[in-house]
Amino acid sequence: MTSASKSLAATPPMGWNSWNQFGWNVNEAVVRETADAMISSGLKDCGYEYVVIDDCWSKKDGRDSNGYLVPDPDKFPNGIKALADYVHNLGLKIGIYSDAADLTCGSYPGSYGFEEQDAQMWASWGIDFLKYDYCNAPEDQASAIERYSRMGEALRKTGREFLFSLCEWGGRSPHLWGREVGGHMWRVSGDVFDSWVNIWVADHTYYGIGIDVSLDLAAELAEYGGPGGWNDLDMLIVGLKGKGLVSGGGLSFVEYQTHMSMWCMACSPLMIGCDVRAMEKETAALLMNPEVLAVNQDALGEPVRRVKQMDRCEIWKKPLADSSVAVALVNRGASGSDVTVKASDIGLLDAPKLVRNLWAQEDIADFKVELTRRVQPHETLLLKVDKH
Ligand code: GLA
């Protein structure tokens, strides 16, 4: 077994992934233009670094006669190596996808039995990140550990630094063994859809996870994430607005803001899922608020804790490196509510404290014992409380 290298994923990985918006239509032009847009929009300057090609990049009908995966020549006419060079020249990193079985989720060739050959090939292309899925693989935990270890070891043997992203959807408790197999992040759920509540997908074949439900998973598993290995709440749905592959009708602005706030509080990787070549102003504001991102990227990597549940309103807190505390007041209910946070709820003394609204980037109050704020349905107030 391998262990994750320390400097890699010291804070939650940030980037973009092709799946949510483009699905099987990912191609070279999309990836190049996305990389360009990450520079021109300012996303790179905010810390978004990885450009990840998800499923459906290789030829679907199988490997070549030497057992190599072949990039689909219609989608990637110049191959992946040229694309990797292009992305690297922009100062970004590139990721790819495979699966721990014969076939991926989209029924493209997987890597089981070819781990070393594939890892060596990706290393020769200059790949920096592997998302490794688990469709068509055995259900049990021991098999998952074995299959992820094989790939973790194969990546390590290449001598190239790979960020290893495990995607078995949480069913086999990857938070308990993800680090040991060389993983830097592990999904904790099935696919998150562009929906507030869970929805049935593809003729009731499986559940698409809604943002509301993800919050409970984030609370439950928080303590297992930290520098080098993170709970992955799944790619962001910010900006999809009902488009793309994981459409669940879309969220309201306030709901997208809750999603982003809580992914940041929970130290989830932030992998953008929308088309960043055509970002609306509102989407850019949600993805690029430096004070909100700083909560996610805080050097301590301390787990978030849900400290209070009052009917459908909740208070969450996360200690930050500068000894302030990030606090989220979340209203998961259907009507507006006054939420009171007490100094004792967030582990602070009854002394004056300065409260900053991170989305608005403004100081809003000085409080000693408690603070009350109106929180609208599905809204989150994201605060930073500084001890004076
Ligand atoms: C699974 C994963 C998704 C995506 C698709 C690709 O459903 O959970 O994130 O990678 O496969 O087919």
Side-chain angles (χ1 to χ4, degrees):
M1 286 197 178
T2 55
S3 63
S5 104
K6 273 222 179 89
S7 56
L8 205 57
T11 60
M14 294 172 69
W16 173 90
N17 173 299
S18 60
W19 184 253
N20 279 358
Q21 176 83 45
F22 297 98
W24 41 86
N25 292 321
V26 62
N27 63 45
E28 184 176 308
V30 163
V31 176
R32 277 180 190 244
E33 289 164 19
T34 295
D36 289 342
M38 285 174 71
I39 309 294
S40 58
S41 61
L43 283 168
K44 174 172 179 278
D45 289 340
C46 291
Y48 294 95
E49 184 182 19
Y50 289 95
V51 182
V52 180
I53 305 168
D54 207 282
D55 202 357
C56 312
W57 60 268
S58 71
K59 278 179 75 176
K60 197 169 184 180
D61 58 359
R63 294 169 177 266
D64 71 10
S65 54
N66 295 315
Y68 285 101
L69 292 169
V70 182
D72 181 329
D74 295 327
K75 293 178 181 168
F76 297 94
N78 296 295
I80 307 276
K81 164 106 181 57
L83 195 53
D85 291 345
Y86 185 84
V87 168
H88 288 151
N89 281 336
L90 295 174
L92 295 164
K93 293 183 172 172
I94 188 159
I96 207 142
Y97 165 102
S98 192
D99 189 292
D102 294 340
L103 292 176
T104 69
C105 296
S107 300
Y108 287 66
S111 290
Y112 187 61
F114 293 88
E115 290 85 354
E116 291 200 10
Q117 185 170 356
D118 291 352
Q120 293 293 343
M121 181 180 70
W122 294 323
S124 75
W125 290 349
I127 299 291
D128 307 294
F129 178 116
L130 174 67
K131 172 173 170 183
Y132 206 40
D133 219 334
Y134 203 68
C135 279
N136 308 305
E139 289 276 321
D140 62 292
Q141 188 192 53
S143 297
I145 295 176
E146 194 253 336
R147 290 182 180 218
Y148 279 102
S149 299
R150 285 169 67 122
M151 183 52 89
E153 185 61 16
L155 294 174
R156 196 187 58 75
K157 273 195 187 163
T158 66
R160 185 172 174 83
E161 196 169 68
F162 277 88
L163 198 150
F164 190 26
S165 161
L166 317 186
C167 180
E168 62 70 77
W169 322 293
R172 286 146 287 258
S173 306
H175 55 280
L176 299 178
W177 48 265
R179 278 192 176 82
E180 284 167 48
V181 299
H184 301 93
M185 55 194 264
W186 45 82
R187 282 270 295 277
V188 300
S189 75
D191 295 359
V192 166
F193 269 61
D194 195 11
S195 168
W196 180 255
V197 292
N198 282 3
I199 49 165
W200 280 110
V201 181
D203 293 333
H204 287 218
T205 327
Y206 67 98
Y207 256 135
I209 308 293
I211 296 303
D212 186 51
V213 172
S214 296
L215 301 191
D216 294 323
L217 286 170
E220 201 182 302
L221 296 171
E223 67 182 287
Y224 297 97
W230 305 97
N231 293 313
D232 178 5
L233 298 182
D234 201 358
M235 283 94 75
L236 296 171
I237 55 161
V238 176
L240 287 177
K241 296 195 161 178
K243 287 178 284 198
L245 215 73
V246 293
S247 174
L251 299 187
S252 69
F253 177 76
V254 158
E255 290 169 337
Y256 280 130
Q257 201 171 45
T258 286
H259 158 50
M260 191 67 191
S261 303
M262 300 312 287
W263 260 234
C264 287
M265 285 291 279
C267 286
S268 174
L270 300 177
M271 305 302 290
I272 298 170
C274 70
D275 187 350
V276 297
R277 301 170 305 174
M279 260 193 304
E280 287 171 26
K281 238 178 148 183
E282 172 188 302
T283 299
L286 287 170
L287 293 174
M288 297 203 285
N289 182 312
E291 298 194 20
V292 173
L293 293 175
V295 172
N296 179 263
Q297 294 293 303
D298 185 72
L300 277 187
E302 272 285 310
V304 69
R305 265 207 318 128
R306 178 161 57 185
V307 293
K308 220 170 186 180
Q309 286 175 278
M310 302 151 289
D311 194 12
R312 294 289 287 149
C313 290
E314 302 176 350
I315 300 174
W316 297 54
K317 79 157 195 180
K318 172 176 152 59
L320 300 176
D322 65 2
S323 73
S324 65
V325 183
V327 179
L329 311 186
V330 192
N331 182 352
R332 297 170 64 178
S335 48
S337 203
D338 288 330
V339 180
T340 298
V341 55
K342 298 198 169 87
S344 55
D345 294 335
I346 52 174
L348 295 178
L349 298 171
D350 294 350
K353 287 162 282 293
L354 180 65
V355 181
R356 189 164 172 82
N357 177 332
L358 295 181
W359 282 110
Q361 299 185 37
E362 62 188 27
D363 295 339
I364 53 168
D366 238 333
F367 84 105
K368 218 172 161 188
V369 180
E370 61 180 44
L371 174 88
T372 300
R373 278 287 180 276
R374 186 87 187 154
V375 190
Q376 298 307 327
H378 300 180
E379 186 186 22
T380 296
L381 285 188
L382 193 59
L383 309 173
K384 186 172 182 221
V385 184
D386 265 319
K387 299 178 218 171
H388 276 297

